[in-house]
Amino acid sequence: DAGVTQSPTHLIKTRGQQVTLRCSPKSGHDTVSWYQQALGQGPQFIFQYYEEEERQRGNFPDRFSGHQFPNYSSELNVNALLLGDSALYLCASSYNGQGHQPQHFGDGTRLSIL
Amino acid sequence: QKEVEQNSGPLSVPEGAIASLNCTYSDRVSQSFFWYRQYSGKSPELIMSIYSNGDKEDGRFTAQLNKASQYVSLLIRDSQPSDSATYLCAVYSGVGTSYDKVIFGPGTSLSVIP
């Protein structure tokens, strides 16, 4: 049973560039949430996708955007990268879009901005 | 602003002792509570979910929920060095079919000393 998979595992970019991160949910899951985790902090909610639509968004600027595909996989796009965007980006999947269902996390993408 | 707070630690306990991790939350209508374990450089791993007042046991782990006090805790019995990690408390406030986001606390770092 495949778990949540994310790619790439590591990425180095420079300020002003754009980046796309990818996530495939756990088998049987249809909901994908994205989180940003800075060093020493808890994950911060970016947004959630369910039925190919952004269901809710956290306190992140419009530079952060996403998409969900018919097969439930998802992308996170970040434009005009800033040094402060350096973090671990986590994708979590769950079933049926309800937050009371436990989420399962992928291994994350470590993004470094130079 | 809904908040989840945890003792920042680090919390150090000797091997074989009971580790007690605490979490408080601000939203009185919160319904679902989760504990995740995160090893350094890894992604969060679900340990337990709890939805009703009282205790829930799973092996060496016991989650305790008191909605009146807006407090949830995690006890780890017979602590092992392999339990050394950061423990994240997560809270979901959505009711019924309305969706809210899952909010994570900052985490508590636990160190089990052999």
PDB file of all heavy atoms in Angstrom, chain A residues 35 37 40-43 45 48 55-56 58 90 97-100 102-103 105-107, chain B residues 32 34 36 38 43-44 46 49 51 88 92 96-97 99-102 104-106:
ATOM      1  N   TYR A  35       1.699  21.917   3.881  1.00  0.00           N
ATOM      2  CA  TYR A  35       2.189  22.618   5.066  1.00  0.00           C
ATOM      3  C   TYR A  35       3.618  23.089   4.822  1.00  0.00           C
ATOM      4  O   TYR A  35       4.387  22.456   4.103  1.00  0.00           O
ATOM      5  CB  TYR A  35       2.199  21.689   6.286  1.00  0.00           C
ATOM      6  CG  TYR A  35       0.826  21.270   6.770  1.00  0.00           C
ATOM      7  CD1 TYR A  35       0.193  20.160   6.219  1.00  0.00           C
ATOM      8  CD2 TYR A  35       0.177  21.970   7.780  1.00  0.00           C
ATOM      9  CE1 TYR A  35      -1.065  19.772   6.655  1.00  0.00           C
ATOM     10  CE2 TYR A  35      -1.079  21.580   8.227  1.00  0.00           C
ATOM     11  CZ  TYR A  35      -1.691  20.483   7.666  1.00  0.00           C
ATOM     12  OH  TYR A  35      -2.932  20.096   8.103  1.00  0.00           O
ATOM     13  N   GLN A  37       7.001  23.925   7.085  1.00  0.00           N
ATOM     14  CA  GLN A  37       7.567  23.755   8.417  1.00  0.00           C
ATOM     15  C   GLN A  37       8.962  24.353   8.464  1.00  0.00           C
ATOM     16  O   GLN A  37       9.899  23.805   7.877  1.00  0.00           O
ATOM     17  CB  GLN A  37       7.596  22.287   8.840  1.00  0.00           C
ATOM     18  CG  GLN A  37       8.023  22.093  10.289  1.00  0.00           C
ATOM     19  CD  GLN A  37       7.965  20.656  10.757  1.00  0.00           C
ATOM     20  OE1 GLN A  37       8.084  19.734   9.958  1.00  0.00           O
ATOM     21  NE2 GLN A  37       7.769  20.449  12.057  1.00  0.00           N
ATOM     22  N   GLY A  40      12.454  24.009  13.765  1.00  0.00           N
ATOM     23  CA  GLY A  40      12.086  24.222  15.153  1.00  0.00           C
ATOM     24  C   GLY A  40      10.652  24.648  15.384  1.00  0.00           C
ATOM     25  O   GLY A  40      10.280  24.984  16.518  1.00  0.00           O
ATOM     26  N   GLN A  41       9.853  24.642  14.331  1.00  0.00           N
ATOM     27  CA  GLN A  41       8.452  25.056  14.453  1.00  0.00           C
ATOM     28  C   GLN A  41       7.523  23.931  14.016  1.00  0.00           C
ATOM     29  O   GLN A  41       7.936  22.975  13.358  1.00  0.00           O
ATOM     30  CB  GLN A  41       8.194  26.294  13.616  1.00  0.00           C
ATOM     31  CG  GLN A  41       8.984  27.517  14.054  1.00  0.00           C
ATOM     32  CD  GLN A  41       8.647  28.738  13.226  1.00  0.00           C
ATOM     33  OE1 GLN A  41       7.593  28.796  12.602  1.00  0.00           O
ATOM     34  NE2 GLN A  41       9.534  29.706  13.235  1.00  0.00           N
ATOM     35  N   GLY A  42       6.251  24.067  14.380  1.00  0.00           N
ATOM     36  CA  GLY A  42       5.261  23.120  13.900  1.00  0.00           C
ATOM     37  C   GLY A  42       4.854  23.438  12.472  1.00  0.00           C
ATOM     38  O   GLY A  42       5.102  24.535  11.973  1.00  0.00           O
ATOM     39  N   PRO A  43       4.253  22.475  11.788  1.00  0.00           N
ATOM     40  CA  PRO A  43       3.796  22.725  10.418  1.00  0.00           C
ATOM     41  C   PRO A  43       2.750  23.838  10.373  1.00  0.00           C
ATOM     42  O   PRO A  43       1.857  23.889  11.215  1.00  0.00           O
ATOM     43  CB  PRO A  43       3.179  21.382  10.011  1.00  0.00           C
ATOM     44  CG  PRO A  43       3.819  20.372  10.908  1.00  0.00           C
ATOM     45  CD  PRO A  43       4.041  21.083  12.200  1.00  0.00           C
ATOM     46  N   PHE A  45      -0.223  25.515   8.060  1.00  0.00           N
ATOM     47  CA  PHE A  45      -1.135  25.154   6.982  1.00  0.00           C
ATOM     48  C   PHE A  45      -1.064  26.171   5.850  1.00  0.00           C
ATOM     49  O   PHE A  45      -1.220  27.378   6.066  1.00  0.00           O
ATOM     50  CB  PHE A  45      -2.554  25.081   7.554  1.00  0.00           C
ATOM     51  CG  PHE A  45      -3.635  24.783   6.567  1.00  0.00           C
ATOM     52  CD1 PHE A  45      -3.853  23.482   6.124  1.00  0.00           C
ATOM     53  CD2 PHE A  45      -4.450  25.789   6.093  1.00  0.00           C
ATOM     54  CE1 PHE A  45      -4.866  23.199   5.227  1.00  0.00           C
ATOM     55  CE2 PHE A  45      -5.475  25.521   5.198  1.00  0.00           C
ATOM     56  CZ  PHE A  45      -5.682  24.213   4.770  1.00  0.00           C
ATOM     57  N   GLN A  48      -5.560  23.434   1.355  1.00  0.00           N
ATOM     58  CA  GLN A  48      -6.024  22.070   1.163  1.00  0.00           C
ATOM     59  C   GLN A  48      -6.790  21.967  -0.155  1.00  0.00           C
ATOM     60  O   GLN A  48      -7.543  22.885  -0.518  1.00  0.00           O
ATOM     61  CB  GLN A  48      -6.954  21.623   2.292  1.00  0.00           C
ATOM     62  CG  GLN A  48      -7.368  20.149   2.154  1.00  0.00           C
ATOM     63  CD  GLN A  48      -8.463  19.753   3.119  1.00  0.00           C
ATOM     64  OE1 GLN A  48      -9.618  20.105   2.939  1.00  0.00           O
ATOM     65  NE2 GLN A  48      -8.100  19.014   4.163  1.00  0.00           N
ATOM     66  N   ARG A  55      -9.911  24.186  -0.946  1.00  0.00           N
ATOM     67  CA  ARG A  55     -11.016  24.180  -0.005  1.00  0.00           C
ATOM     68  C   ARG A  55     -10.830  25.238   1.076  1.00  0.00           C
ATOM     69  O   ARG A  55     -11.781  25.868   1.510  1.00  0.00           O
ATOM     70  CB  ARG A  55     -11.134  22.801   0.625  1.00  0.00           C
ATOM     71  CG  ARG A  55     -12.358  22.611   1.470  1.00  0.00           C
ATOM     72  CD  ARG A  55     -12.352  21.260   2.102  1.00  0.00           C
ATOM     73  NE  ARG A  55     -13.561  21.043   2.867  1.00  0.00           N
ATOM     74  CZ  ARG A  55     -14.492  20.151   2.557  1.00  0.00           C
ATOM     75  NH1 ARG A  55     -14.336  19.397   1.482  1.00  0.00           N
ATOM     76  NH2 ARG A  55     -15.555  20.003   3.304  1.00  0.00           N
ATOM     77  N   GLN A  56      -9.642  25.373   1.538  1.00  0.00           N
ATOM     78  CA  GLN A  56      -9.339  26.403   2.528  1.00  0.00           C
ATOM     79  C   GLN A  56      -7.871  26.784   2.433  1.00  0.00           C
ATOM     80  O   GLN A  56      -7.051  25.985   1.975  1.00  0.00           O
ATOM     81  CB  GLN A  56      -9.663  25.950   3.942  1.00  0.00           C
ATOM     82  CG  GLN A  56      -9.565  27.096   4.964  1.00  0.00           C
ATOM     83  CD  GLN A  56     -10.324  26.831   6.237  1.00  0.00           C
ATOM     84  OE1 GLN A  56      -9.753  26.291   7.155  1.00  0.00           O
ATOM     85  NE2 GLN A  56     -11.584  27.194   6.293  1.00  0.00           N
ATOM     86  N   GLY A  58      -4.526  28.905   4.352  1.00  0.00           N
ATOM     87  CA  GLY A  58      -3.919  29.505   5.527  1.00  0.00           C
ATOM     88  C   GLY A  58      -3.415  30.900   5.213  1.00  0.00           C
ATOM     89  O   GLY A  58      -3.685  31.471   4.161  1.00  0.00           O
ATOM     90  N   LEU A  90       5.638  19.995   3.462  1.00  0.00           N
ATOM     91  CA  LEU A  90       5.012  18.708   3.725  1.00  0.00           C
ATOM     92  C   LEU A  90       3.661  18.606   3.033  1.00  0.00           C
ATOM     93  O   LEU A  90       2.867  19.551   3.042  1.00  0.00           O
ATOM     94  CB  LEU A  90       4.807  18.516   5.228  1.00  0.00           C
ATOM     95  CG  LEU A  90       6.063  18.426   6.080  1.00  0.00           C
ATOM     96  CD1 LEU A  90       5.749  18.645   7.542  1.00  0.00           C
ATOM     97  CD2 LEU A  90       6.730  17.068   5.879  1.00  0.00           C
ATOM     98  N   GLY A  97     -11.969  14.646   2.680  1.00  0.00           N
ATOM     99  CA  GLY A  97     -11.919  16.075   2.928  1.00  0.00           C
ATOM    100  C   GLY A  97     -12.293  16.532   4.316  1.00  0.00           C
ATOM    101  O   GLY A  97     -12.428  17.724   4.564  1.00  0.00           O
ATOM    102  N   GLN A  98     -12.462  15.614   5.242  1.00  0.00           N
ATOM    103  CA  GLN A  98     -12.864  16.019   6.583  1.00  0.00           C
ATOM    104  C   GLN A  98     -11.657  16.053   7.506  1.00  0.00           C
ATOM    105  O   GLN A  98     -10.896  15.105   7.590  1.00  0.00           O
ATOM    106  CB  GLN A  98     -13.908  15.036   7.128  1.00  0.00           C
ATOM    107  CG  GLN A  98     -15.213  15.057   6.361  1.00  0.00           C
ATOM    108  CD  GLN A  98     -15.872  16.415   6.393  1.00  0.00           C
ATOM    109  OE1 GLN A  98     -15.964  17.053   7.426  1.00  0.00           O
ATOM    110  NE2 GLN A  98     -16.304  16.880   5.230  1.00  0.00           N
ATOM    111  N   GLY A  99     -11.511  17.140   8.209  1.00  0.00           N
ATOM    112  CA  GLY A  99     -10.339  17.302   9.063  1.00  0.00           C
ATOM    113  C   GLY A  99     -10.306  16.365  10.243  1.00  0.00           C
ATOM    114  O   GLY A  99      -9.270  16.219  10.872  1.00  0.00           O
ATOM    115  N   HIS A 100     -11.438  15.731  10.562  1.00  0.00           N
ATOM    116  CA  HIS A 100     -11.397  14.816  11.696  1.00  0.00           C
ATOM    117  C   HIS A 100     -10.746  13.495  11.325  1.00  0.00           C
ATOM    118  O   HIS A 100     -10.481  12.672  12.191  1.00  0.00           O
ATOM    119  CB  HIS A 100     -12.800  14.580  12.256  1.00  0.00           C
ATOM    120  CG  HIS A 100     -13.727  13.907  11.286  1.00  0.00           C
ATOM    121  ND1 HIS A 100     -14.534  14.596  10.434  1.00  0.00           N
ATOM    122  CD2 HIS A 100     -13.950  12.594  11.036  1.00  0.00           C
ATOM    123  CE1 HIS A 100     -15.237  13.750   9.710  1.00  0.00           C
ATOM    124  NE2 HIS A 100     -14.901  12.527  10.043  1.00  0.00           N
ATOM    125  N   PRO A 102      -7.548  11.436  10.374  1.00  0.00           N
ATOM    126  CA  PRO A 102      -6.105  11.650  10.534  1.00  0.00           C
ATOM    127  C   PRO A 102      -5.430  11.834   9.189  1.00  0.00           C
ATOM    128  O   PRO A 102      -5.799  11.203   8.202  1.00  0.00           O
ATOM    129  CB  PRO A 102      -5.635  10.364  11.216  1.00  0.00           C
ATOM    130  CG  PRO A 102      -6.849   9.789  11.847  1.00  0.00           C
ATOM    131  CD  PRO A 102      -7.992  10.168  10.959  1.00  0.00           C
ATOM    132  N   GLN A 103      -4.446  12.694   9.171  1.00  0.00           N
ATOM    133  CA  GLN A 103      -3.678  12.919   7.969  1.00  0.00           C
ATOM    134  C   GLN A 103      -2.399  12.075   7.998  1.00  0.00           C
ATOM    135  O   GLN A 103      -1.835  11.841   9.054  1.00  0.00           O
ATOM    136  CB  GLN A 103      -3.297  14.394   7.854  1.00  0.00           C
ATOM    137  CG  GLN A 103      -4.484  15.321   7.734  1.00  0.00           C
ATOM    138  CD  GLN A 103      -4.056  16.759   7.677  1.00  0.00           C
ATOM    139  OE1 GLN A 103      -3.809  17.313   6.618  1.00  0.00           O
ATOM    140  NE2 GLN A 103      -3.937  17.379   8.829  1.00  0.00           N
ATOM    141  N   PHE A 105       1.421  11.944   6.336  1.00  0.00           N
ATOM    142  CA  PHE A 105       2.378  12.841   5.719  1.00  0.00           C
ATOM    143  C   PHE A 105       3.355  12.108   4.808  1.00  0.00           C
ATOM    144  O   PHE A 105       3.739  10.962   5.056  1.00  0.00           O
ATOM    145  CB  PHE A 105       3.185  13.569   6.798  1.00  0.00           C
ATOM    146  CG  PHE A 105       2.431  14.677   7.464  1.00  0.00           C
ATOM    147  CD1 PHE A 105       1.603  14.409   8.541  1.00  0.00           C
ATOM    148  CD2 PHE A 105       2.540  15.984   7.008  1.00  0.00           C
ATOM    149  CE1 PHE A 105       0.902  15.428   9.160  1.00  0.00           C
ATOM    150  CE2 PHE A 105       1.841  17.007   7.619  1.00  0.00           C
ATOM    151  CZ  PHE A 105       1.017  16.731   8.696  1.00  0.00           C
ATOM    152  N   GLY A 106       3.767  12.818   3.767  1.00  0.00           N
ATOM    153  CA  GLY A 106       4.882  12.373   2.960  1.00  0.00           C
ATOM    154  C   GLY A 106       6.189  12.756   3.631  1.00  0.00           C
ATOM    155  O   GLY A 106       6.206  13.373   4.699  1.00  0.00           O
ATOM    156  N   ASP A 107       7.297  12.376   3.002  1.00  0.00           N
ATOM    157  CA  ASP A 107       8.617  12.637   3.582  1.00  0.00           C
ATOM    158  C   ASP A 107       9.047  14.087   3.444  1.00  0.00           C
ATOM    159  O   ASP A 107      10.045  14.489   4.030  1.00  0.00           O
ATOM    160  CB  ASP A 107       9.658  11.722   2.944  1.00  0.00           C
ATOM    161  CG  ASP A 107       9.491  10.278   3.375  1.00  0.00           C
ATOM    162  OD1 ASP A 107       8.898  10.039   4.446  1.00  0.00           O
ATOM    163  OD2 ASP A 107       9.956   9.386   2.638  1.00  0.00           O
TER     164      ASP A 107
ATOM    165  N   SER B  32     -11.471  17.287  17.233  1.00  0.00           N
ATOM    166  CA  SER B  32     -10.585  16.167  16.922  1.00  0.00           C
ATOM    167  C   SER B  32      -9.155  16.554  17.277  1.00  0.00           C
ATOM    168  O   SER B  32      -8.731  17.679  17.009  1.00  0.00           O
ATOM    169  CB  SER B  32     -10.674  15.816  15.434  1.00  0.00           C
ATOM    170  OG  SER B  32     -12.006  15.601  15.053  1.00  0.00           O
ATOM    171  N   PHE B  34      -4.977  15.161  17.607  1.00  0.00           N
ATOM    172  CA  PHE B  34      -4.018  14.207  17.070  1.00  0.00           C
ATOM    173  C   PHE B  34      -2.651  14.437  17.707  1.00  0.00           C
ATOM    174  O   PHE B  34      -2.255  15.565  17.981  1.00  0.00           O
ATOM    175  CB  PHE B  34      -3.893  14.370  15.543  1.00  0.00           C
ATOM    176  CG  PHE B  34      -5.215  14.376  14.824  1.00  0.00           C
ATOM    177  CD1 PHE B  34      -5.845  15.568  14.522  1.00  0.00           C
ATOM    178  CD2 PHE B  34      -5.828  13.190  14.449  1.00  0.00           C
ATOM    179  CE1 PHE B  34      -7.066  15.591  13.866  1.00  0.00           C
ATOM    180  CE2 PHE B  34      -7.053  13.197  13.793  1.00  0.00           C
ATOM    181  CZ  PHE B  34      -7.669  14.398  13.508  1.00  0.00           C
ATOM    182  N   TYR B  36       1.339  13.558  16.809  1.00  0.00           N
ATOM    183  CA  TYR B  36       2.285  13.090  15.809  1.00  0.00           C
ATOM    184  C   TYR B  36       3.682  13.065  16.438  1.00  0.00           C
ATOM    185  O   TYR B  36       4.026  13.897  17.270  1.00  0.00           O
ATOM    186  CB  TYR B  36       2.315  14.021  14.595  1.00  0.00           C
ATOM    187  CG  TYR B  36       1.093  13.951  13.714  1.00  0.00           C
ATOM    188  CD1 TYR B  36      -0.049  14.699  14.002  1.00  0.00           C
ATOM    189  CD2 TYR B  36       1.081  13.148  12.574  1.00  0.00           C
ATOM    190  CE1 TYR B  36      -1.166  14.636  13.194  1.00  0.00           C
ATOM    191  CE2 TYR B  36      -0.036  13.092  11.757  1.00  0.00           C
ATOM    192  CZ  TYR B  36      -1.151  13.838  12.073  1.00  0.00           C
ATOM    193  OH  TYR B  36      -2.261  13.780  11.262  1.00  0.00           O
ATOM    194  N   GLN B  38       7.738  13.264  15.363  1.00  0.00           N
ATOM    195  CA  GLN B  38       8.601  13.675  14.253  1.00  0.00           C
ATOM    196  C   GLN B  38      10.053  13.537  14.668  1.00  0.00           C
ATOM    197  O   GLN B  38      10.546  14.271  15.535  1.00  0.00           O
ATOM    198  CB  GLN B  38       8.306  15.128  13.830  1.00  0.00           C
ATOM    199  CG  GLN B  38       9.056  15.553  12.586  1.00  0.00           C
ATOM    200  CD  GLN B  38       8.628  16.923  12.082  1.00  0.00           C
ATOM    201  OE1 GLN B  38       8.165  17.761  12.832  1.00  0.00           O
ATOM    202  NE2 GLN B  38       8.791  17.150  10.767  1.00  0.00           N
ATOM    203  N   SER B  43       9.471  13.385   8.477  1.00  0.00           N
ATOM    204  CA  SER B  43       8.125  13.958   8.458  1.00  0.00           C
ATOM    205  C   SER B  43       7.323  13.459   9.657  1.00  0.00           C
ATOM    206  O   SER B  43       7.676  12.450  10.280  1.00  0.00           O
ATOM    207  CB  SER B  43       7.423  13.579   7.157  1.00  0.00           C
ATOM    208  OG  SER B  43       7.262  12.176   7.072  1.00  0.00           O
ATOM    209  N   PRO B  44       6.250  14.145  10.015  1.00  0.00           N
ATOM    210  CA  PRO B  44       5.420  13.714  11.154  1.00  0.00           C
ATOM    211  C   PRO B  44       4.752  12.374  10.889  1.00  0.00           C
ATOM    212  O   PRO B  44       4.310  12.084   9.775  1.00  0.00           O
ATOM    213  CB  PRO B  44       4.379  14.831  11.261  1.00  0.00           C
ATOM    214  CG  PRO B  44       5.005  16.011  10.597  1.00  0.00           C
ATOM    215  CD  PRO B  44       5.820  15.445   9.478  1.00  0.00           C
ATOM    216  N   LEU B  46       1.758   9.820  12.480  1.00  0.00           N
ATOM    217  CA  LEU B  46       0.608   9.778  13.378  1.00  0.00           C
ATOM    218  C   LEU B  46       0.801   8.718  14.463  1.00  0.00           C
ATOM    219  O   LEU B  46       1.095   7.562  14.165  1.00  0.00           O
ATOM    220  CB  LEU B  46      -0.668   9.478  12.594  1.00  0.00           C
ATOM    221  CG  LEU B  46      -1.959   9.403  13.415  1.00  0.00           C
ATOM    222  CD1 LEU B  46      -2.341  10.789  13.925  1.00  0.00           C
ATOM    223  CD2 LEU B  46      -3.093   8.808  12.582  1.00  0.00           C
ATOM    224  N   SER B  49      -5.098   9.405  17.548  1.00  0.00           N
ATOM    225  CA  SER B  49      -6.142  10.404  17.459  1.00  0.00           C
ATOM    226  C   SER B  49      -7.117  10.176  18.608  1.00  0.00           C
ATOM    227  O   SER B  49      -7.308   9.038  19.054  1.00  0.00           O
ATOM    228  CB  SER B  49      -6.870  10.316  16.119  1.00  0.00           C
ATOM    229  OG  SER B  49      -7.354   9.004  15.906  1.00  0.00           O
ATOM    230  N   TYR B  51     -11.050  11.732  20.218  1.00  0.00           N
ATOM    231  CA  TYR B  51     -12.192  12.568  19.900  1.00  0.00           C
ATOM    232  C   TYR B  51     -13.126  12.792  21.089  1.00  0.00           C
ATOM    233  O   TYR B  51     -13.926  13.728  21.075  1.00  0.00           O
ATOM    234  CB  TYR B  51     -13.005  11.930  18.760  1.00  0.00           C
ATOM    235  CG  TYR B  51     -12.189  11.638  17.537  1.00  0.00           C
ATOM    236  CD1 TYR B  51     -11.681  10.362  17.299  1.00  0.00           C
ATOM    237  CD2 TYR B  51     -11.892  12.632  16.604  1.00  0.00           C
ATOM    238  CE1 TYR B  51     -10.918  10.088  16.169  1.00  0.00           C
ATOM    239  CE2 TYR B  51     -11.138  12.354  15.475  1.00  0.00           C
ATOM    240  CZ  TYR B  51     -10.657  11.085  15.274  1.00  0.00           C
ATOM    241  OH  TYR B  51      -9.898  10.810  14.153  1.00  0.00           O
ATOM    242  N   LEU B  88       4.222  16.480  18.182  1.00  0.00           N
ATOM    243  CA  LEU B  88       3.363  17.553  17.706  1.00  0.00           C
ATOM    244  C   LEU B  88       1.912  17.268  18.085  1.00  0.00           C
ATOM    245  O   LEU B  88       1.403  16.169  17.818  1.00  0.00           O
ATOM    246  CB  LEU B  88       3.463  17.684  16.186  1.00  0.00           C
ATOM    247  CG  LEU B  88       4.826  18.062  15.618  1.00  0.00           C
ATOM    248  CD1 LEU B  88       4.873  17.778  14.126  1.00  0.00           C
ATOM    249  CD2 LEU B  88       5.134  19.522  15.881  1.00  0.00           C
ATOM    250  N   TYR B  92      -8.314  19.959  15.330  1.00  0.00           N
ATOM    251  CA  TYR B  92      -9.239  20.264  14.242  1.00  0.00           C
ATOM    252  C   TYR B  92     -10.557  20.727  14.836  1.00  0.00           C
ATOM    253  O   TYR B  92     -11.098  20.083  15.736  1.00  0.00           O
ATOM    254  CB  TYR B  92      -9.458  19.039  13.371  1.00  0.00           C
ATOM    255  CG  TYR B  92     -10.492  19.243  12.297  1.00  0.00           C
ATOM    256  CD1 TYR B  92     -10.233  20.091  11.224  1.00  0.00           C
ATOM    257  CD2 TYR B  92     -11.722  18.600  12.354  1.00  0.00           C
ATOM    258  CE1 TYR B  92     -11.183  20.284  10.238  1.00  0.00           C
ATOM    259  CE2 TYR B  92     -12.675  18.793  11.369  1.00  0.00           C
ATOM    260  CZ  TYR B  92     -12.392  19.637  10.319  1.00  0.00           C
ATOM    261  OH  TYR B  92     -13.332  19.829   9.337  1.00  0.00           O
ATOM    262  N   GLY B  96     -19.334  18.797  11.736  1.00  0.00           N
ATOM    263  CA  GLY B  96     -20.183  18.246  10.695  1.00  0.00           C
ATOM    264  C   GLY B  96     -19.507  18.317   9.347  1.00  0.00           C
ATOM    265  O   GLY B  96     -18.357  17.927   9.195  1.00  0.00           O
ATOM    266  N   THR B  97     -20.237  18.856   8.361  1.00  0.00           N
ATOM    267  CA  THR B  97     -19.683  18.911   7.011  1.00  0.00           C
ATOM    268  C   THR B  97     -18.902  20.198   6.740  1.00  0.00           C
ATOM    269  O   THR B  97     -18.288  20.345   5.698  1.00  0.00           O
ATOM    270  CB  THR B  97     -20.803  18.810   5.968  1.00  0.00           C
ATOM    271  OG1 THR B  97     -21.750  19.861   6.205  1.00  0.00           O
ATOM    272  CG2 THR B  97     -21.525  17.471   6.076  1.00  0.00           C
ATOM    273  N   TYR B  99     -15.837  22.606   6.922  1.00  0.00           N
ATOM    274  CA  TYR B  99     -14.427  22.277   7.046  1.00  0.00           C
ATOM    275  C   TYR B  99     -13.645  23.422   7.684  1.00  0.00           C
ATOM    276  O   TYR B  99     -13.859  24.579   7.386  1.00  0.00           O
ATOM    277  CB  TYR B  99     -13.814  21.964   5.673  1.00  0.00           C
ATOM    278  CG  TYR B  99     -12.354  21.695   5.787  1.00  0.00           C
ATOM    279  CD1 TYR B  99     -11.895  20.484   6.300  1.00  0.00           C
ATOM    280  CD2 TYR B  99     -11.424  22.671   5.479  1.00  0.00           C
ATOM    281  CE1 TYR B  99     -10.548  20.255   6.467  1.00  0.00           C
ATOM    282  CE2 TYR B  99     -10.079  22.449   5.643  1.00  0.00           C
ATOM    283  CZ  TYR B  99      -9.643  21.235   6.136  1.00  0.00           C
ATOM    284  OH  TYR B  99      -8.311  21.009   6.322  1.00  0.00           O
ATOM    285  N   ASP B 100     -12.760  23.068   8.560  1.00  0.00           N
ATOM    286  CA  ASP B 100     -11.786  24.018   9.086  1.00  0.00           C
ATOM    287  C   ASP B 100     -10.409  23.413   8.882  1.00  0.00           C
ATOM    288  O   ASP B 100     -10.287  22.300   8.397  1.00  0.00           O
ATOM    289  CB  ASP B 100     -12.065  24.283  10.563  1.00  0.00           C
ATOM    290  CG  ASP B 100     -11.468  25.601  11.036  1.00  0.00           C
ATOM    291  OD1 ASP B 100     -10.589  26.138  10.331  1.00  0.00           O
ATOM    292  OD2 ASP B 100     -11.880  26.089  12.090  1.00  0.00           O
ATOM    293  N   LYS B 101      -9.384  24.110   9.237  1.00  0.00           N
ATOM    294  CA  LYS B 101      -8.038  23.580   9.033  1.00  0.00           C
ATOM    295  C   LYS B 101      -7.534  22.934  10.309  1.00  0.00           C
ATOM    296  O   LYS B 101      -7.990  23.230  11.415  1.00  0.00           O
ATOM    297  CB  LYS B 101      -7.098  24.694   8.597  1.00  0.00           C
ATOM    298  CG  LYS B 101      -6.977  25.828   9.589  1.00  0.00           C
ATOM    299  CD  LYS B 101      -6.179  26.978   8.989  1.00  0.00           C
ATOM    300  CE  LYS B 101      -6.116  28.144   9.964  1.00  0.00           C
ATOM    301  NZ  LYS B 101      -5.481  29.337   9.367  1.00  0.00           N
ATOM    302  N   VAL B 102      -6.592  22.032  10.131  1.00  0.00           N
ATOM    303  CA  VAL B 102      -5.912  21.411  11.261  1.00  0.00           C
ATOM    304  C   VAL B 102      -4.791  22.350  11.687  1.00  0.00           C
ATOM    305  O   VAL B 102      -4.000  22.795  10.859  1.00  0.00           O
ATOM    306  CB  VAL B 102      -5.348  20.037  10.871  1.00  0.00           C
ATOM    307  CG1 VAL B 102      -4.544  19.450  12.016  1.00  0.00           C
ATOM    308  CG2 VAL B 102      -6.482  19.096  10.479  1.00  0.00           C
ATOM    309  N   PHE B 104      -1.471  22.945  14.080  1.00  0.00           N
ATOM    310  CA  PHE B 104      -0.422  22.248  14.817  1.00  0.00           C
ATOM    311  C   PHE B 104       0.179  23.148  15.878  1.00  0.00           C
ATOM    312  O   PHE B 104       0.334  24.359  15.680  1.00  0.00           O
ATOM    313  CB  PHE B 104       0.694  21.800  13.866  1.00  0.00           C
ATOM    314  CG  PHE B 104       0.353  20.561  13.080  1.00  0.00           C
ATOM    315  CD1 PHE B 104      -0.428  20.646  11.942  1.00  0.00           C
ATOM    316  CD2 PHE B 104       0.819  19.324  13.479  1.00  0.00           C
ATOM    317  CE1 PHE B 104      -0.749  19.506  11.209  1.00  0.00           C
ATOM    318  CE2 PHE B 104       0.514  18.182  12.754  1.00  0.00           C
ATOM    319  CZ  PHE B 104      -0.275  18.285  11.623  1.00  0.00           C
ATOM    320  N   GLY B 105       0.559  22.540  16.989  1.00  0.00           N
ATOM    321  CA  GLY B 105       1.350  23.234  17.977  1.00  0.00           C
ATOM    322  C   GLY B 105       2.815  23.277  17.560  1.00  0.00           C
ATOM    323  O   GLY B 105       3.200  22.658  16.560  1.00  0.00           O
ATOM    324  N   PRO B 106       3.646  23.974  18.317  1.00  0.00           N
ATOM    325  CA  PRO B 106       5.063  24.112  17.953  1.00  0.00           C
ATOM    326  C   PRO B 106       5.885  22.858  18.209  1.00  0.00           C
ATOM    327  O   PRO B 106       7.017  22.750  17.728  1.00  0.00           O
ATOM    328  CB  PRO B 106       5.536  25.261  18.845  1.00  0.00           C
ATOM    329  CG  PRO B 106       4.628  25.216  20.022  1.00  0.00           C
ATOM    330  CD  PRO B 106       3.293  24.775  19.506  1.00  0.00           C
TER     331      PRO B 106
END
